[in-house]
Amino acid sequence: MGEPLAYFLTWTTYGTWLPGDDRGWVNRHNRKVEVLEEPSESLFSHAWALLKASPLKLDQRMRSVVEQSVSETCEELQWELRVVRVLTTHVHVVLAAPQVPPGKVMGLLKADATSQLRCLPDMQERTKWWTSRGSKRLLYTEEAVAAALKYVFDQEHSWKKKR
C-alpha cells in the first residue's frame, strides 16, 4: 500500500482508561486490529487494584506543556504536525513522519512530554504518566487524514462543552 500520508496517534494518561472500563476498552493481546471490548466490572476492579500510582488528569498548565513539547519535537525532527490536541485524559496527534515507524514516533513524543512535565514544580516525584501503549492509525489517503482531523476537532468541542 506504500508509505502512509500521516499517522493518527492517541494515548491516554496513566490509570484513566483501564481494561474493563464502562466506555469499552481495547484488548492489547489482539495485536492485528483494535477491537473495542465490552465493559467488565470485575476486570476493571482487578486493573484498578494493580495501579502503581494514582490516575493522572492533566490540568490546563500540564496540557499546555504537553502541547508545546509535541510541537517542539515535531519541529526539531522535521515532522509535519497537522494537529495536536491535549485533553484531560488523553492526547491526539496527527502528523507525517516519513520513514519513522509510528510506535517510535509515539514513544519519542511521550518521552519528551514526560521530560517537560517533570520540570513542573509539583510533578518531580510522579513516576507514571502515560499508558504503556496507544492507538497508532496509519492514514493512507487525504480523506483519511481529513477524517482524523475532523474527529480531533469535533472531540475538542465536545470536551469544551462538558466543562
Side-chain angles (χ1 to χ4, degrees), residues 98-119:
Q99 306 300 314
V100 183
K104 183 172 183 171
V105 172
M106 183 183 288
L108 288 168
L109 294 176
K110 288 165 76 172
D112 288 351
T114 300
S115 178
Q116 293 300 312
L117 286 166
R118 283 192 176 129
C119 292

Side-chain angles (χ1 to χ4, degrees), residues 27-65:
N27 184 345
R28 294 294 175 199
H29 296 291
N30 182 355
R31 297 194 180 236
K32 299 278 188 220
V33 294
E34 289 184 5
V35 176
L36 200 61
E37 301 285 349
E38 293 295 318
S40 166
E41 189 173 325
S42 62
L43 183 57
F44 181 84
S45 295
H46 177 70
W48 183 264
L50 294 176
L51 288 177
K52 293 176 175 37
S54 61
L56 175 65
K57 290 194 175 181
L58 302 172
D59 60 24
Q60 181 56 50
R61 164 189 64 135
M62 296 161 85
R63 291 191 302 268
S64 295
V65 166

Side-chain angles (χ1 to χ4, degrees), residues 12-135:
T12 57
T13 58
Y14 184 79
T16 58
W17 200 322
L18 301 173
D21 193 285
D22 285 343
R23 298 166 288 185
W25 57 284
V26 176
N27 184 345
R28 294 294 175 199
H29 296 291
N30 182 355
R31 297 194 180 236
K32 299 278 188 220
V33 294
E34 289 184 5
V35 176
L36 200 61
E37 301 285 349
E38 293 295 318
S40 166
E41 189 173 325
S42 62
L43 183 57
F44 181 84
S45 295
H46 177 70
W48 183 264
L50 294 176
L51 288 177
K52 293 176 175 37
S54 61
L56 175 65
K57 290 194 175 181
L58 302 172
D59 60 24
Q60 181 56 50
R61 164 189 64 135
M62 296 161 85
R63 291 191 302 268
S64 295
V65 166
V66 173
E67 187 173 318
Q68 182 176 349
S69 174
V70 168
S71 296
E72 289 173 357
T73 300
C74 288
E75 184 176 331
E76 179 182 321
L77 296 173
Q78 298 180 341
W79 295 340
E80 181 191 352
L81 179 62
R82 301 292 294 272
V83 69
V84 55
R85 189 70 68 224
V86 183
L87 296 116
T88 306
T89 61
H90 61 287
V91 179
H92 292 300
V93 180
V94 178
L95 58 75
Q99 306 300 314
V100 183
K104 183 172 183 171
V105 172
M106 183 183 288
L108 288 168
L109 294 176
K110 288 165 76 172
D112 288 351
T114 300
S115 178
Q116 293 300 312
L117 286 166
R118 283 192 176 129
C119 292
L120 295 174
D122 53 339
M123 291 289 128
Q124 287 117 6
E125 301 301 316
R126 183 155 191 101
T127 59
K128 300 289 185 184
W129 295 89
W130 314 110
T131 52
S132 61
R133 296 184 185 95
S135 173

